[in-house]
Amino acid sequence: MIIMDKPLRRKIDAYLAKWRNNPDRKPLIVKGARQVGKTFSIEEFASKTYSSIIKINFVEQPKYKSIFGDGYDVKSILKNISLLNPDFKFVDGETLFFFDELQLCPECATALKFFKLDGRYDVICSGSIMGINYREIESNSVGYKEDYEMYSLDFEEFLWARGYSDVFIDEIYRHLVEIKPFSSLEMDTLYNLFLDYAVLGGMPAVVNTFVKNGNFSETLNIQRQLLKDYEEDITKYAEGLDKAKIKAVYSHITTFLSKENKRFQITKISKTARNRDYVGCIEWLKDAGVINVCYCLNLPELPLKGNYDSKLYKIYFKDTGLLIASLDEEAQEDLRANKNLGTYKGAIYENIVADMLVKQGYGLYYYSSDKPYLEMDFFVRSADSLIPVEVKAKDRATASLNNLLKREKYSDIKYGIKLGHLNIGFNGKFFTFPYFLTFLLKRFIRDNNNFSNFVLDDKTNKN
């Protein structure tokens, strides 16, 4: 058995250190779904950085909602906190106020302005389903706070958890930049690591258990409990009759993804249901951090925002491990014992690519057209180009990708990317990359914005 002797390294660690070193730092709001590691990471950072930590959780300690009853100035807030707990110490420059589950006390957000103006104390806020009440929180604290969205572990963080270094990841990236294919050993090793990540997802409790045990034992139980926890959140926080509708959408995500086009179709929930009755349900699940939504572009051209049909979309689990946990019992043993993704292969690969793109800060967009027939899984962009991204569960022909690249009418598209169980290559029109390189796409596109840098020679791999 492998025993971990230190906590998981997370990208928020470096972000928090940089935030602390900024002399003009603002109160920080860390958003994200439940159990992605927000509270643990903030507490680890605080314990190493501050001599005094004032932690208040508005779920576990609702009495602290009253600390804003005498106004939002810092002096009044400190007085009321000390009335409730005289053991707290307020040390100028060395105190962090950590307000957890902020969504249950939007009034706290109003006080962030006054903490910033006062300047003596640092403030970090967090919440498990922050999006539900975030509009009110945003309006209460605009201009006086900084936002950070935290996700479950991305593939790079997963590699850290498995013991791989930044040097190893830089070497992977060098292959990408130089369009240098991996050796058979490199390819097999990285692909197997990626399959582990596909089955596990990135929830810290799941990854921790896998790394400690050195196998998949107990991971499915944790994933299924997370699914139940999200369902309980729907029951607890959704209002009125929407609870049943939200639960219906939530329980049918796997059904949508198992279909060929994977698009959300209300008739799969109920033959009499209407799309407009479920729009709020999709928004609720998105705000709660349960799903990613991928919208259909009106045309494959820039800009992306405003150029999509809000009524046509696909929905994916925010964390692919939750998709895995929702699959039927018969698929589970094969997944863990043999890493056989089976009939769900297309859904799993598409879901994990969506997740990896979102974790890099991309919005999700796809395109579908009958005349001419074009079907593209995702689009990302550089400063001046639209880049189609095709996800292939099997190494089949890429008719849609070729059509997008050869048609002069799509002038914003200069090259494409094909993801699959493939090695690195470039044929003058599109790159082929293995799935596991998806986490480096934004870095690659940013560093190589000038497409003319890639010159095709006789030795370049053609795929």
Side-chain angles (χ1 to χ4, degrees):
M1 178 182 292
I2 302 172
I3 303 296
M4 293 184 64
D5 58 359
K6 58 183 180 180
L8 294 172
R9 176 186 173 192
R10 303 299 306 274
K11 291 185 175 178
I12 194 175
D13 301 340
Y15 182 91
L16 290 172
K18 184 178 179 181
W19 171 80
R20 168 66 167 162
N21 290 328
N22 179 4
D24 192 35
R25 59 188 171 277
K26 299 177 182 179
L28 176 64
I29 296 180
V30 179
K31 300 185 289 183
R34 64 146 60 231
Q35 298 189 42
V36 296
K38 301 182 301 300
T39 299
F40 182 85
S41 293
I42 294 167
E43 289 180 339
E44 279 286 302
F45 159 74
S47 67
K48 298 173 183 176
T49 311
Y50 297 90
S51 62
S52 179
I53 303 167
I54 314 298
K55 182 186 176 184
I56 294 171
N57 184 308
F58 291 115
V59 169
E60 298 173 359
Q61 303 161 296
K63 64 182 180 180
Y64 280 95
K65 294 179 184 180
S66 65
I67 63 177
F68 309 105
D70 294 328
Y72 299 105
D73 63 286
V74 174
K75 184 178 179 180
S76 296
I77 294 169
L78 298 189
K79 181 194 73 173
N80 288 333
I81 290 176
S82 61
L83 284 172
L84 292 171
N85 188 339
D87 293 331
F88 280 142
K89 293 179 174 60
F90 312 114
V91 183
D92 292 7
E94 288 295 327
T95 299
L96 174 71
F97 285 83
F98 177 21
F99 297 112
D100 206 1
E101 304 297 356
L102 177 64
Q103 77 280 355
L104 294 184
C105 187
E107 295 88 350
C108 180
T110 305
L112 299 184
K113 172 182 177 180
F114 298 93
F115 273 102
K116 169 59 180 170
L117 295 175
D118 181 276
R120 289 178 292 164
Y121 311 109
D122 289 346
V123 180
I124 298 179
C125 304
S126 185
S128 294
I129 53 170
M130 182 72 74
I132 304 304
N133 292 326
Y134 195 67
R135 290 178 184 84
E136 184 178 353
I137 291 168
E138 175 77 21
S139 64
N140 286 356
S141 55
V142 63
Y144 293 95
K145 52 87 180 172
E146 184 176 332
D147 289 316
Y148 181 90
E149 186 158 7
M150 189 173 181
Y151 304 99
S152 62
L153 279 77
D154 66 15
F155 188 54
E156 185 171 13
E157 291 171 312
F158 180 76
L159 290 175
W160 293 340
R162 295 299 310 275
Y164 292 95
S165 67
D166 292 332
V167 173
F168 177 79
I169 292 167
D170 286 342
E171 177 63 21
I172 295 174
Y173 184 64
R174 189 173 66 82
H175 277 266
L176 192 63
V177 171
E178 297 177 3
I179 315 302
K180 177 184 175 183
F182 292 106
S183 68
S184 296
L185 176 61
E186 290 169 327
M187 191 72 180
D188 290 344
T189 300
L190 286 164
Y191 188 65
N192 282 325
L193 285 164
F194 175 76
L195 286 179
D196 286 344
Y197 179 65
V199 172
L200 293 164
M203 288 299 191
V206 178
V207 175
N208 252 326
T209 300
F210 175 76
V211 175
K212 285 180 180 178
N213 295 339
N215 56 53
F216 290 100
S217 64
E218 296 302 314
T219 57
L220 179 57
N221 290 337
I222 298 171
Q223 289 171 320
R224 285 176 171 167
Q225 184 58 52
L226 285 166
L227 283 175
K228 291 177 183 176
D229 290 343
Y230 280 123
E231 188 168 343
E232 287 177 7
D233 280 348
I234 295 171
T235 302
K236 185 175 181 180
Y237 294 109
E239 298 178 355
L241 296 176
D242 282 343
K243 290 182 181 182
K245 293 178 182 176
I246 294 170
K247 279 188 176 181
V249 173
Y250 177 69
S251 63
H252 280 80
I253 297 174
T254 306
T255 303
F256 303 135
L257 290 177
S258 65
K259 302 303 177 185
E260 183 66 26
N261 66 13
K262 300 179 179 61
R263 183 166 60 84
F264 176 82
Q265 294 173 289
I266 199 64
T267 53
K268 301 297 180 184
I269 296 176
S270 170
K271 292 182 179 180
T272 60
R274 295 173 295 182
N275 270 311
R276 66 174 179 266
D277 296 330
Y278 282 79
V279 172
C281 302
I282 303 300
E283 289 300 313
W284 195 98
L285 289 167
K286 181 181 178 182
D287 287 344
V290 178
I291 62 171
N292 289 318
V293 182
C294 182
Y295 293 101
C296 184
L297 291 176
N298 294 317
L299 291 169
E301 63 185 26
L302 296 174
L304 292 174
K305 290 185 177 179
N307 175 31
Y308 63 86
D309 189 335
S310 61
K311 299 185 293 294
L312 296 176
Y313 50 86
K314 303 176 185 180
I315 56 177
Y316 301 99
F317 277 102
K318 197 86 168 179
D319 183 88
T320 302
L322 299 183
L323 167 61
I324 295 294
S326 70
L327 300 180
D328 54 75
E329 193 72 41
E330 291 74 18
Q332 296 296 339
E333 184 177 351
D334 208 16
L335 278 166
R336 284 165 170 75
N338 306 312
K339 295 182 181 177
N340 178 19
L341 306 185
T343 58
Y344 297 102
K345 184 181 293 184
I348 293 169
Y349 284 137
E350 200 168 311
N351 196 102
I352 200 167
V353 168
D355 178 48
M356 294 169 91
L357 292 176
V358 167
K359 286 174 177 173
Q360 294 171 78
Y362 284 118
L364 297 180
Y365 304 94
Y366 75 100
Y367 184 69
S368 181
S369 170
D370 293 329
K371 297 179 181 180
Y373 175 77
L374 284 173
E375 192 79 36
M376 188 50 52
D377 300 308
F378 301 105
F379 287 88
V380 296
R381 64 165 301 173
S382 66
D384 59 0
S385 301
L386 182 64
I387 305 163
V389 178
E390 188 167 38
V391 181
K392 284 292 186 181
K394 298 179 180 178
D395 189 17
R396 294 174 176 170
T398 54
S400 289
L401 185 55
N402 282 316
N403 285 334
L404 283 170
L405 291 166
K406 73 182 181 183
R407 290 178 179 272
E408 293 181 1
K409 62 185 289 188
Y410 306 127
S411 58
D412 290 330
I413 300 175
K414 298 179 176 61
Y415 68 96
I417 294 172
K418 177 182 175 182
L419 301 172
H421 192 186
L422 306 161
N423 214 323
I424 294 176
F426 179 56
N427 65 3
K429 297 183 297 181
F430 60 83
F431 298 93
T432 59
F433 297 139
Y435 304 111
F436 56 77
L437 288 182
T438 304
F439 81 103
L440 290 168
L441 283 189
K442 191 162 193 174
R443 181 178 171 186
F444 173 77
I445 291 167
R446 180 197 63 213
D447 293 349
N448 301 279
N449 188 49
N450 186 359
F451 177 62
S452 63
N453 290 340
F454 297 100
V455 179
L456 187 66
D457 61 34
D458 292 337
K459 294 182 181 180
T460 302
N461 275 1
K462 292 182 173 60
N463 291 281

